Amino acid sequence: MQGPLYQQSIGNTFQIASGKETRILAEPYFTTSAPSLLQFQWTINNANLSTGSEQPGILSYVTEAGSRGQQIATLEITNSFNIVERIRKTFRIHVE
């Protein structure tokens, strides 16, 4: 187990081994508000996910052993105090 890889961002694809759990951390560096004041919305294949209110910037992704395939993940971060501030990232998760 290792901590956050702050020097590495997620590109257009992200690979996960089947039967494993991966935690993806969203760290918004360039916002006008503190991260605690931002709203995080994760989706997988356009279905909204609930990450819990304690750590909304973390997506925990668990795969079943022997599973394979891909899904589209999207994170949208909004600031209710600044309606023009919106961050959106979409990437493919490949499970092998």
Side-chain angles (χ1 to χ4, degrees):
M1 180 178 242
Q2 63 188 89
L5 302 174
Y6 288 107
Q7 74 279 8
Q8 182 180 11
S9 68
I10 292 179
N12 293 327
T13 60
F14 185 76
Q15 287 194 294
I16 300 175
S18 69
K20 301 290 182 182
E21 176 181 4
T22 299
R23 294 175 58 139
I24 299 171
L25 170 66
E27 191 69 54
Y29 289 111
F30 304 107
T31 62
T32 59
S33 294
S36 61
L37 299 175
L38 300 173
Q39 289 77 46
F40 293 76
Q41 180 59 62
W42 294 92
T43 62
I44 298 288
N45 293 336
N46 294 320
N48 289 337
L49 302 178
S50 174
T51 58
S53 60
E54 290 182 20
Q55 296 180 312
I58 296 178
L59 172 65
S60 182
Y61 193 88
V62 181
T63 63
E64 294 182 14
S67 63
R68 295 177 61 98
Q70 67 177 345
Q71 296 182 319
I72 304 293
T74 301
L75 169 64
E76 185 166 278
I77 303 171
T78 55
N79 181 346
S80 59
F81 298 102
N82 183 352
I83 61 171
V84 297
E85 187 171 61
R86 185 177 133 233
I87 301 166
R88 183 178 175 96
K89 173 66 178 174
T90 300
F91 56 97
R92 289 185 188 276
I93 298 175
H94 290 277
V95 178
E96 297 183 351

